[in-house]
Each structure stands twice: as C-alpha cells, then as structure tokens.
Amino acid sequence: MAVCGPRDCTAAERDAAHEVGRLLAERGAVVLCGGYTGVMAAVAEGARSAGGLVVGVLSRPDREGATAGLSAAIATGLGEARNAVLVASADAVIVVGGSWGTLSELALAMRRGDVPVVQLGGWQVLDERGEPLPGIRRAAGPAEAVRLAIG
C-alpha cells in the first residue's frame, strides 16, 4: 500500500498519516512512501509503531534526508519521476493532504486504473462541469481510508 502526501504538511495531516500507517501495519500491509519528511515520515512512524514494514522510495541517488522510520530505502536517483515507481509498486494508493507532488501521485495512480485510489483531505480534482472526477474514493478519516483501500 502506498501512502502519498506532502513533505510540508499540517499537524492534522501528520496525525492522519500516522494513524493510516498504524492501521495498515495492523492489517499486515507493507507500507510504501516517498521516504522523507511530513506525511511520509508520519506514515512511516505510524506503521513502525505497530511493528509494520515501511519501504521508502527515495527521489535522491542516496539516502540523505530519509526519515529514520523506514525499514528499507530504495535510492532511485529519479527525482520526482520516482512518484511513478512508488505508485506502480502499490496494491492501493492512499493520498493524505495535497501538494503538487502529491497531485502527480494521485494522477499516476488514477492513470494506472487497476488499484484503489483513496483521498483523505487535500485537493479535489473537478471536471469541466465542476463535478468531482469519478474513481477517486474520498475518505472522512484514517479508518475509512484504510477500509476503502484494502477492504
């Protein structure tokens, strides 16, 4: 399960990501994230607090700046293109909060078309009529996000 979100997040986004990570780990899911600060660090800490395995898919060619909560780090050296690797490696994608990088991960997950994509907070993408785009599952809280992602 990939959990995506901004490196500069709010306290509420941090708390939600921590809880998502904990709940995923309790369900036995391996958690994938971008591996740095903000939502990524919070989801890693949450998953590790429940004994979970957390893999960081890093943008840098080294592990500099990676959060300490990772079980493993993959230093891709791909920059923002690592978002595609992260999303392509997941059985489901949960997006917590919003930023440009997070929006790209949401779009890549939707383009994939074969995994659940759940959004918890963040931006809402609308079509030309002002309607929410179909396919994105919106969650009101961490427990609902996990349920919508993995049942």
Side-chain angles (χ1 to χ4, degrees):
M1 301 297 138
V3 180
C4 306
R7 72 185 79 162
D8 298 317
C9 66
T10 67
E13 291 167 343
R14 185 175 292 109
D15 291 346
H18 188 278
E19 183 68 0
V20 165
R22 185 184 68 75
L23 292 169
L24 286 171
E26 286 178 354
R27 302 278 299 267
V30 173
V31 176
L32 307 172
C33 69
Y36 294 110
T37 62
V39 163
M40 299 170 277
V43 75
E45 292 165 7
R48 291 299 296 265
S49 75
L53 178 66
V54 185
V55 178
V57 181
L58 307 176
S59 58
R60 295 179 50 89
D62 54 39
R63 288 163 178 76
E64 184 178 332
T67 187
L70 300 175
S71 307
I74 301 168
T76 68
L78 295 173
E80 293 300 319
R82 74 84 148 77
N83 293 353
V85 174
L86 174 61
V87 168
S89 301
D91 295 326
V93 177
I94 299 174
V95 175
V96 179
S99 67
W100 289 114
T102 305
L103 184 60
S104 77
E105 291 161 327
L106 177 80
L108 289 165
M110 289 303 296
R111 285 290 289 179
R112 228 184 111 177
D114 61 350
V115 296
V117 180
V118 179
Q119 189 171 17
L120 180 56
W123 302 348
Q124 187 169 17
V125 182
L126 307 175
D127 68 14
E128 65 277 359
R129 295 179 312 279
E131 300 292 326
L133 289 179
I136 301 170
R137 303 171 184 187
R138 303 258 325 159
E144 184 179 16
V146 170
R147 182 182 58 75
L148 289 171
I150 62 176

